[in-house]
Amino acid sequence: MKIKNICCIGAGYVGGPTMAVIAEKCPGVKVTVVDINEKRIKQWNDPDVEKIPIYEPGLSSIVKETRDKNLFFSTDVDKAIDEADMIFISVNTPTKTYGIGKGMAADLKYIELCARQIAAVAKNDKIVIEKSTLPVRTAAALKNILDNTGNGVKYQILSNPEFLAEGTAVEDLKSPDRVLIGGDIESEEGREAMEALVNIYASWVPKEKILTTNVWSSELSKLTANAFLAQRVSSINAISELCEKTGADVNEVAKAVGMDSRVGPKFLKASVGFGGSCFQKDILNLVYIARTYNLQEVADYWEQVIIMNDHQKRRFAANMVQTMYNTVAGKKIAILGWAFKKDTNDTRESAAIYVADYLLNEQAEIVVYDPKVTEEQIYSDLDYLGSRSGDANRKGVTVVKSSYEACDNAHAIAVLTEWDEFKQLDWKKIYDQMLKPAFLFDGRRLLEPKTKKEIGFEFYAIGN
Ligand code: NAD
Ligand code: UGA
């Protein structure tokens, strides 16, 4: 089966970059990315490619090359579904905020809406691909909706979870460690659909890196991969607290442990806590699934990864207050970095939101600088948390355009995102601008403790 027309529902952090790379690597395939969010689609179509809604190194140049040739962004979801042979569903699957499973289970309402829309519109057979991260066995629900509400059209459901990390999305998509495709291996039609998707990826990914499995293994592997990665961060963060008590240095411990080839060096960087839209959501989802099967020990085991992460964020903020003589009321605190990691403008579940919230509760005056996050986003993150009124957030937080401006006359600085530019700052100049004693809290182990102490900072680094 030769695929000529692909539709992707959801023009977000996954749909946008993934489809841009498919369009680049498969010039003979027409790729249409659709979304109900008109503003987002307008931004994707902005004549100035630097204004596309997602910041990812290397993405704007691919969009520039492919847009309006074989890559299209549109709000006409029905038309794109109708024309496509293959439909990727890449909509958001946030943690439920209501009803059964509130705060734990994945909210599948957007997925179900997509399935119903596909069923209503499709006039010929389609391959439907779960690109969103979903609870294991969601494919069965999708198939049920499609088969029972459709126009008699035949569907093959595949699971093709995405493993890209933000900030390195383009690189990850161009040379993935593996591509995972789950499908109905038992049937001829299932195998054909899987082969059609394998052929798309085989345009640029070596065949041995394309893994085919049954649907359930594929769905569960995605949740497991994120749980393992997050678990490593929580593990090293747990050790960081012990380091602070014992005089060990967490960077040295991580290096010594990571050089064991059985452990490996990646994801052992202690931090103020992991953020991002997926680690927490996916582990909560895993915990929820385990609980629904009555697997209490399994659920408790994975839940601890989240408990440790919440502890790390709170502990960092509490340590700031304690170090500054147990009060930050009325003190100006500069937060450098709001994104959940460097090289992205995504702030979902960023540790900075929680640290700022904690400090605002202690009546600190917060000044934020982030190279890629807008003022509007920062306020919206705090408003969404709901700890205080929008007015109080705007009164307590100022957003500025440079690190120097943020740190001017500040009592303390908290480095919360590991942006490269923070390493290059003239720290002596910053020290001179600050009130004394000048406190510097490094939540990312970005800065060299010794040199910062020599400048005169009261310096704290996580795990040191
Ligand atoms: P996102 O919120 O950035 O994008 C999702 C988009 O889907 C939004 O623009 C929304 O308007 C749109 N949408 C929702 N319902 C729709 C509908 N019925 N019709 C059309 N459009 C609709 O989310 P994201 O970060 O791209 O994540 C999408 C999925 O991919 C999630 O399941 C996530 O867990 C998974 N994932 C994300 C990442 C990541 O790095 N962000 C990586 C791997 C997997
Ligand atoms: C993560 C996974 O790495 C991707 O494989 C997966 O596709 C994605 O989730 C997803 O499903 O959404 P992402 O959240 O974009 O990607 O970014 P990561 O690089 O994994 O970082 C997550 C968080 O952990 C960040 O806040 C980061 O700063 C933190 N982190 C990471 C650490 O604190 N220490 C580390 O050693 C590594």
Side-chain angles (χ1 to χ4, degrees), residues 89-127:
I89 302 183
S90 187
V91 300
N92 36 331
T93 48
T95 304
K96 260 186 106 176
T97 53
Y98 55 89
I100 294 176
K102 178 179 171 181
M104 299 291 287
D107 192 341
L108 299 180
K109 70 177 172 207
Y110 305 107
I111 293 285
E112 176 158 350
L113 280 172
C114 287
R116 289 186 185 278
Q117 193 160 2
I118 294 169
V121 171
K123 296 198 278 294
N124 55 351
D125 297 354
K126 311 267 183 211
I127 299 172

Side-chain angles (χ1 to χ4, degrees), residues 133 162-166 222 226 229 233 237 266-271 273-279 282 340-341 418 444:
T133 303
E162 185 47 62
F163 294 102
L164 69 81
E166 289 177 30
K222 173 62 198 179
N226 274 359
L229 291 169
V233 179
N237 281 346
K266 294 183 180 167
F267 270 72
L268 288 182
K269 184 87 184 158
S271 70
F274 60 74
S277 62
C278 294
F279 277 0
D282 292 348
F340 81 98
K341 62 185 283 198
E418 72 283 21
R444 288 291 181 168

